[in-house]
Every structure is written in structure tokens, then in C-alpha cells.
Amino acid sequence: MGRRSERLGRPAGDAGGESDVIQVVSRAFEVMRCFGGHDTRLGNLEIANRCRLPRSTVSRLTHTLTRMGQLVYLPQDQKYRLGAGAIAMSTAMMRGLRFRGLVRMLMDELAQEFPGTVGFVAPDRFHMVYLECARAHDAVGLQSTTGSRIDIARTASGHAYTAALDPDVCAALLADMEREIPDDARILRQKLDSNRRSLRESGYVISAGLWNSHITGISVPLWSPHYRDYLVLTIGLLGAMYDEPRLRTEVAPRLLQLAQSVLRISDSADDNPFVEPSVSPQKRKPAAAAGVGCRRELEAAAGRTRAAAGIRAADVRRREVEAG
């Protein structure tokens, strides 16, 4: 717990955090973030409402993004959708998916044990985004898919993420939220101390009824040396079936086991976020062959479990090595 996220860090003395931000770039990314989940076609008014920007400003941004190929204008609807340029950029970022494929197989196994949605999520400003998602066939009312965005303040993954951050980095994030979405900032502040205590003592964070009154989530944050930030493993279940005691006794051990298995996967893929980017592929352990070899690697990883205290102790040692 307490790892610094360089993405959120600010220069000393920059109280507002805005002096090093180019507003037009920030606003352009805010516009692009609107096109997520089921919202594939949006008009300027819809974008303006979501970004809390003047419609005239949004019009200039969407016009520029269209000229750049990041958006496409649909005259029949008077709306925009993501363009070929944005798709090409995302495709380039998605190359080398071996690691995520391995993780997805582990997540599928967990999803078959519990009737919920298992997610591997990453932070994106005030949201968490599903990088991978596995869902039980009998899961009820849980419709998240890869690419879905969920509120950082109203989900277990968001609460686990903020609880893991360095206090100053978390404070900077909350200050941004208070300016734009004060209700969400208040929710996080109210739970922050208890979330940090749970993460410190148990290795996970539980959140119930914030995103959906029927859903309870449990999440484990994992530090990514590659991204200098936390990624989160999470599972959401129906609260009527899994109350907090049952989550702690049945689900938590398996989620911690999944987290440990993910960290133990030694793979030469470029998309492995738990390998230092400075480590060359030649120095990493060779990946198992596809098919049966890959499956054996996963089974071996899943079988090598240890207590949450051991996981936390190892994480502390890794931090000390990196800091030194």
C-alpha cells in the first residue's frame, strides 16, 4: 500500500495542479473518454453535458478531432463516433496480448466458481476501465464487458485503487474530484481510512451497494512497474448470495490466489504490466508453449498460493528494493 502513481504526481508547490496542464489537450481527451461502453454515437450537446464544457468549446474540439481522424461525423444523426485514427491507436496499444490471454484464462476459472463478474481493470482519471472481463454464465444483473467504464468512487475496484495510492497522490486525485464531482469525492473520503485498514490487514477491499444496491464487490490492487500505477483484480457478486462474511471466508482467498497467480506468470510478452520495462525479453524466463504447455503453466501458478500476509510482505520487500 502507499505506492506512488507517477501519472498522478504533481510538482511541489503546485497546489492547484493546473500549471503544468495544457487545457486544450486535457479537454480533447475528456471528449474522447465520452465514447465508451454503449455510448458509441454522441452529439455535441451530450458531450458538453458529460464533460461540463460549453457547447461552443465542444464544437471546436469535435471539429478538430474529426479533421484528425479521431472522430467521424454522422450527418444523418448529427452525431459523432470514434474514427479510424482512434481505432488504429487502440489497435497498436493492444498488440502482444499473450499476458492478458493467460490472465483471462485464470479469470474464467474463477468466474466458473462464483456466479459473478471477474475483472482486470485499470484507472482512467475518475473511472476504472475493464482490460479483461470474465463472467459466469448464470451471473444475474452484471453486464460489464471489456472496455466498460465504472465510477472510481462507487466500485470496489476504485476503492481498492485509491486505498493503495500514496497519501499525497490520493489527495491530489480527491482534490480533482472535489472540483468536478464532489459527491463522489465525499464517498471516497468517508471510506478511505477503513479501506486502507482493510488493505493493510487483509490484502483486499470490500464495497457493497455503491454502484448497484444489489451488488457487492471485492478487489485486490497490484502494482505495475510497467505503468507506474496500480491495476486491480475484482469480482462483483449479488449481495443477497454473498454477504461480507461469506466474501471473506470463500471469495477473498480465491481472489488473493488469483492475484498471486497473475504476479507469478513469467512471460516474455510485451504487454506484461508486472515486468519492469527496462528488463529485456532475453533476460526473462521463456514463456510456455501454447496449448497444453500454457495450460500447465497456469495450473502450476494457480497451485502455488500463500497467505495474504506473505503477499503483503513480499510487496513491501519489492518496494524497498525499487526505492533503494
Side-chain angles (χ1 to χ4, degrees), residues 87-96:
I87 297 172
M89 288 177 63
S90 63
T91 300
M93 294 175 65
M94 299 286 280
R95 286 181 301 181

Side-chain angles (χ1 to χ4, degrees), residues 6 37 39 58 87 98 111 118 121 154 191 194 208 247 254 285 294 306-307:
E6 295 179 4
D39 301 316
V58 170
I87 297 172
R98 177 174 173 77
V118 183
V121 302
R154 302 175 186 274
K191 298 286 187 178
S194 61
L247 282 175
R254 284 292 290 116
K285 179 182 175 182
C294 174
R306 52 179 173 167

Side-chain angles (χ1 to χ4, degrees), residues 217-239:
I218 178 170
S219 301
V220 176
L222 302 174
W223 174 251
S224 167
H226 191 88
Y227 295 116
R228 310 303 301 172
D229 208 346
Y230 284 95
L231 305 179
V232 181
L233 286 166
T234 185
I235 180 170
L237 296 154
L238 287 177

Side-chain angles (χ1 to χ4, degrees), residues 77-108:
D77 299 326
Q78 295 187 338
K79 293 188 176 184
Y80 296 86
R81 62 171 171 79
L82 291 179
I87 297 172
M89 288 177 63
S90 63
T91 300
M93 294 175 65
M94 299 286 280
R95 286 181 301 181
L97 300 182
R98 177 174 173 77
F99 175 82
R100 282 176 51 181
L102 294 171
V103 172
R104 174 60 188 267
M105 292 177 66
L106 288 172
M107 291 168 57
D108 282 336

Side-chain angles (χ1 to χ4, degrees), residues 114-117 142 214-218 235-240 242 247 251:
F114 302 103
T117 297
L142 302 166
H214 304 292
I215 303 300
T216 299
I218 178 170
I235 180 170
L237 296 154
L238 287 177
Y242 288 86
L247 282 175
V251 183

Side-chain angles (χ1 to χ4, degrees), residues 184-201:
D184 284 14
R186 185 174 64 255
I187 291 173
L188 277 175
R189 284 195 185 280
Q190 291 173 346
K191 298 286 187 178
L192 189 56
D193 287 342
S194 61
N195 288 340
R196 284 173 173 166
R197 183 168 57 253
S198 176
L199 186 58
R200 182 174 59 251
E201 296 176 355

Side-chain angles (χ1 to χ4, degrees), residues 23-286:
Q23 287 297 326
V24 68
V25 177
S26 176
R27 289 171 174 175
F29 274 98
E30 285 301 307
V31 169
M32 297 295 290
R33 285 189 179 100
C34 292
F35 294 86
H38 301 290
D39 301 316
T40 58
R41 300 185 179 196
L42 297 171
N44 282 331
L45 180 59
E46 295 169 292
I47 296 172
N49 290 336
R50 297 181 183 205
C51 295
R52 297 181 176 86
L53 293 172
R55 189 172 179 180
S56 58
T57 300
V58 170
S59 296
R60 291 194 297 271
L61 288 170
T62 53
H63 174 74
T64 301
L65 290 168
T66 300
R67 293 287 297 273
M68 294 172 60
Q70 301 300 306
L71 296 179
V72 172
Y73 182 62
L74 308 171
Q76 67 275 20
D77 299 326
Q78 295 187 338
K79 293 188 176 184
Y80 296 86
R81 62 171 171 79
L82 291 179
I87 297 172
M89 288 177 63
S90 63
T91 300
M93 294 175 65
M94 299 286 280
R95 286 181 301 181
L97 300 182
R98 177 174 173 77
F99 175 82
R100 282 176 51 181
L102 294 171
V103 172
R104 174 60 188 267
M105 292 177 66
L106 288 172
M107 291 168 57
D108 282 336
E109 291 183 354
L110 185 61
Q112 296 311 310
E113 292 184 43
F114 302 103
T117 297
V118 183
F120 183 42
V121 302
D124 182 19
R125 203 158 186 248
F126 303 147
H127 295 85
M128 306 297 289
V129 179
Y130 278 84
L131 302 178
E132 287 292 342
C133 184
R135 185 171 182 267
H137 65 87
D138 55 347
V140 179
L142 302 166
Q143 302 299 326
S144 297
T145 59
T146 300
S148 293
R149 301 168 66 83
I150 51 180
D151 292 339
I152 199 171
R154 302 175 186 274
T155 54
S157 59
H159 282 237
Y161 172 74
T162 51
L165 291 174
D166 267 358
D168 59 335
V169 177
C170 184
L173 174 62
L174 289 173
D176 285 344
M177 295 181 71
E178 284 175 340
R179 284 192 292 270
E180 301 189 35
I181 44 176
D183 289 343
D184 284 14
R186 185 174 64 255
I187 291 173
L188 277 175
R189 284 195 185 280
Q190 291 173 346
K191 298 286 187 178
L192 189 56
D193 287 342
S194 61
N195 288 340
R196 284 173 173 166
R197 183 168 57 253
S198 176
L199 186 58
R200 182 174 59 251
E201 296 176 355
S202 303
Y204 56 81
V205 170
I206 292 176
S207 176
L210 291 177
W211 172 63
N212 182 304
S213 60
H214 304 292
I215 303 300
T216 299
I218 178 170
S219 301
V220 176
L222 302 174
W223 174 251
S224 167
H226 191 88
Y227 295 116
R228 310 303 301 172
D229 208 346
Y230 284 95
L231 305 179
V232 181
L233 286 166
T234 185
I235 180 170
L237 296 154
L238 287 177
M241 296 177 60
Y242 288 86
D243 57 11
E244 186 167 332
R246 191 177 182 189
L247 282 175
R248 293 185 182 278
T249 57
E250 297 183 25
V251 183
R254 284 292 290 116
L255 187 63
L256 288 169
Q257 179 181 336
L258 171 61
Q260 187 59 40
S261 298
V262 168
L263 292 176
R264 284 180 178 272
I265 293 175
S266 178
D267 184 59
S268 60
D270 292 336
D271 68 325
N272 188 338
F274 303 110
V275 173
E276 289 281 4
S278 59
V279 179
S280 63
Q282 291 78 9
K283 293 183 179 180
R284 302 176 196 168
K285 179 182 175 182

